[in-house]
Amino acid sequence: MAGHSKWANIRHRKGAQDAKRGKIFTKVAKEITIAARNGGDPEMNPALRLALQKAKGVNMPNDNIQRAIKRGTGEIEGVSYEAVTYEGYAPGGIAVLVESLTDNKNRTVAEVRHIFSKRGGSLGESGCVAYMFDRKGIITINSDAASEDDVMMVALESGAEDVKNADGIFEVLTAATDFMAVRDAVEEAGIPIETANFSMVPATTIAIEDEKTASQVLNLMEALEDSDEVQDVYMNFDIDNELMERLDA
């Protein structure tokens, strides 16, 4: 789990940039549509409730949300999406998992392969890196919203695996099966949640120490996340704070 808080914060900043460009609306709409296949009532459909929370977090317009739900329930005609995962390597031997919801696998794999090859990575065979990651629930809370003791008590008593404090963000880690129970307990305790999502967390990370490799890896991550063909990207790298500050500058 080393380095995951830093990775989450990188993704958090990146997510804010995506929201400004509006790209995230398309991605969240796909998640809502997929989730709504199992019913349009979020009280009876945890996956839909989670997708709607994500939509609220990025200020997605209600009209967009309702259209996505109706496409999923079949009330209006829509595209049929299929979940696909791609695996590969970034420069420096960094493992990469790419999750997609697509209506055309040939188009999507061509786009993903092009992004990898253009930025020094390589698309691999199915199973080549997936074993390096575990599916976890990640709940983030701004440290201004609650004390560390309160977050620790509620999270751990409701079944969380760990709570970390990194750069002003409490990160609550849960097993996938305990995610909804922990999230509900945090909400019931009156603690405001910033984000609550499932994530593929690397069991171990690879430290990147040189600026060139770090820049290449982050450029590949950004290009994949910028693609309309991609929902989520996960990597097993760690970059120390000093190097990240140089890259940010």
Side-chain angles (χ1 to χ4, degrees), residues 28 37 43 101 125 151 185 193 203 213 245:
V28 174
R37 290 177 181 174
E43 295 301 318
L101 294 175
E125 298 294 327
V151 172
I193 292 174
T213 302
E245 288 173 3

Side-chain angles (χ1 to χ4, degrees), residues 31 50 54 136-140 179 183 195-199:
E31 293 185 26
L50 184 61
K54 184 181 292 188
K136 301 287 186 179
I138 304 290
I139 300 166
T140 61
F179 172 72
R183 194 200 68 168
T195 64
N197 298 293
F198 288 105
S199 181

Side-chain angles (χ1 to χ4, degrees), residues 69-145:
I69 292 174
K70 289 178 180 178
R71 288 192 187 100
T73 59
E75 294 177 63
I76 61 176
E77 186 175 354
V79 177
S80 178
Y81 295 114
E82 180 180 359
V84 184
T85 300
Y86 302 100
E87 304 174 43
Y89 299 92
I94 302 300
V96 186
L97 274 183
V98 179
E99 293 183 343
S100 172
L101 294 175
T102 180
D103 62 335
N104 186 323
K105 288 198 294 185
N106 290 334
R107 183 194 67 226
T108 300
V109 71
E111 167 74 1
V112 171
R113 181 179 289 111
H114 174 72
I115 292 171
F116 267 92
S117 62
K118 188 175 180 181
R119 289 164 178 81
S122 60
L123 197 60
E125 298 294 327
S126 177
C128 67
V129 302
Y131 68 93
M132 302 180 189
F133 296 81
D134 296 310
R135 185 169 174 79
K136 301 287 186 179
I138 304 290
I139 300 166
T140 61
I141 300 162
N142 194 300
S143 60
D144 293 333

Side-chain angles (χ1 to χ4, degrees), residues 164-203:
K164 296 184 178 181
N165 186 351
D167 299 327
I169 298 291
F170 297 125
E171 181 183 285
V172 180
L173 177 73
T174 80
T177 52
D178 296 328
F179 172 72
M180 297 302 293
V182 175
R183 194 200 68 168
D184 289 347
V186 172
E187 287 185 337
E188 289 169 7
I191 299 174
I193 292 174
E194 276 209 4
T195 64
N197 298 293
F198 288 105
S199 181
M200 297 301 292
V201 178

